[in-house]
Amino acid sequence: MIDACRAALEAHHARHGTIPSMAGLAKLWGYASKSSAARRVGELVEAGVLAWSADRRLRPGPSFRTADPGLDEAGERWSASYDGELTRAYMMTVRLLRLARSIEIGLARTAASEGLTAGEVLVLDTLFRAGPPHRLAPTALKKHFVISLAGVAKRLERLLALGLIERVPNPDDRRGMLVQLTGDGIALLQRLVQLDRHSSHIMWPTALPEQDYRVMLDALQAAQALIEAEPDDL
């Protein structure tokens, strides 16, 4: 029964772009009372299909299947020219690219709240993840990035000017210097962490049901391994 309610709700949202009120949901699902609809809503919230907004209004949750006319049309065109296997691959790749872009936009917005770019915050985070005393050689920074990042030197100079990092002597090389987080840099990261706790572009995995979270994590790790196993000279 819950699957039928979910399908009806997602079809309604695709047509109207809204989530009905509790009374509207009761009517949509053919229930005699709002209390019956409320129980079903509770199940859908627990499954991640629905979620409550701050003002106690229902909104689509992380598992809500939102219609995507643009991608649906693309799928039809791909399938008309390519085989089903390639079409499936394109559909998944484009969805992942869109997800990554949405996350990038969120990261940039959070960084901008402190007057920084997402790339500059990534440098600070890389130094933090190196562990106390949070220092690395500039040439070693790239090895620790979770993603590739160009223009490291330019970002370092700006962070130095802002007092978020500092240069310190390399104890293992008298001629070398390391870059290290300052107290101000650590404090800034701590402020951003507090923002991240309330940011959907960071916290969305925690809204997934545990099974979906594990399946998605395993699938992404497997996908990464398959891509990295591909020879570079193809």
Side-chain angles (χ1 to χ4, degrees), residues 15 19 30 43 74 80 105 112 131 177 188 193 196 214 228 234:
R15 289 193 300 270
I19 299 295
E43 294 173 349
I105 291 171
M177 300 292 289
L188 183 145
V193 165
D196 284 343
R214 295 305 315 175
E228 291 179 350
L234 286 181

Side-chain angles (χ1 to χ4, degrees), residues 166-180:
E166 60 185 349
R167 289 191 176 96
V168 296
N170 187 339
D172 300 322
D173 182 358
R174 294 181 180 179
R175 296 171 298 175
M177 300 292 289
L178 304 176
V179 289
Q180 177 176 300

Side-chain angles (χ1 to χ4, degrees), residues 14-224:
R15 289 193 300 270
H16 306 287
T18 61
I19 299 295
S21 64
M22 201 64 71
L25 288 173
K27 183 178 181 180
L28 177 68
W29 294 333
Y31 290 158
S33 66
K34 291 192 292 184
S35 61
S36 297
R39 286 193 293 272
R40 184 65 70 198
V41 164
E43 294 173 349
L44 291 171
V45 169
E46 184 176 352
V49 177
L50 289 173
W52 291 104
S53 64
D55 59 357
R56 296 299 295 172
R57 293 186 180 184
L58 285 169
R59 60 177 177 79
S63 299
F64 194 93
R65 293 187 289 260
T66 305
D68 190 338
L71 193 55
D72 289 342
E73 291 178 5
E76 292 175 1
R77 291 166 186 161
W78 283 326
S79 62
S81 302
Y82 309 127
D83 59 73
E85 188 175 55
L86 188 58
T87 297
R88 281 165 55 87
Y90 283 158
M91 291 285 282
M92 181 63 73
T93 298
V94 170
R95 287 191 182 281
L96 288 172
L97 287 172
R98 287 188 176 183
L99 174 61
R101 179 55 181 159
S102 296
I103 293 172
E104 288 176 357
I105 291 171
L107 292 173
R109 184 169 56 246
T110 300
S113 69
E114 291 285 347
L116 300 178
T117 66
E120 290 163 350
V121 172
L122 182 60
V123 172
L124 298 178
D125 179 67
T126 300
L127 290 171
F128 183 82
R129 285 187 288 107
H134 308 299
R135 64 172 64 152
L136 288 170
T139 54
L141 272 170
K142 287 186 179 181
K143 298 178 182 179
H144 294 265
F145 288 146
V146 293
I147 61 174
S148 63
L149 185 66
V152 173
K154 182 178 179 180
R155 289 173 172 84
L156 289 177
E157 290 304 318
R158 184 157 190 271
L159 294 171
L160 283 163
L162 293 171
L164 301 175
I165 62 174
E166 60 185 349
R167 289 191 176 96
V168 296
N170 187 339
D172 300 322
D173 182 358
R174 294 181 180 179
R175 296 171 298 175
M177 300 292 289
L178 304 176
V179 289
Q180 177 176 300
L181 274 178
T182 64
D184 286 344
I186 293 174
L188 183 145
L189 284 175
Q190 290 172 339
R191 292 195 297 272
L192 292 180
V193 165
Q194 294 308 311
L195 290 177
D196 284 343
R197 292 184 188 278
H198 305 284
S199 300
S200 59
H201 66 275
I202 293 294
M203 299 304 293
W204 64 269
T206 67
L208 295 174
E210 180 62 23
Q211 183 178 359
D212 290 351
Y213 174 86
R214 295 305 315 175
V215 168
M216 187 172 190
L217 187 62
D218 291 345
L220 290 173
Q221 290 174 334
Q224 188 69 36

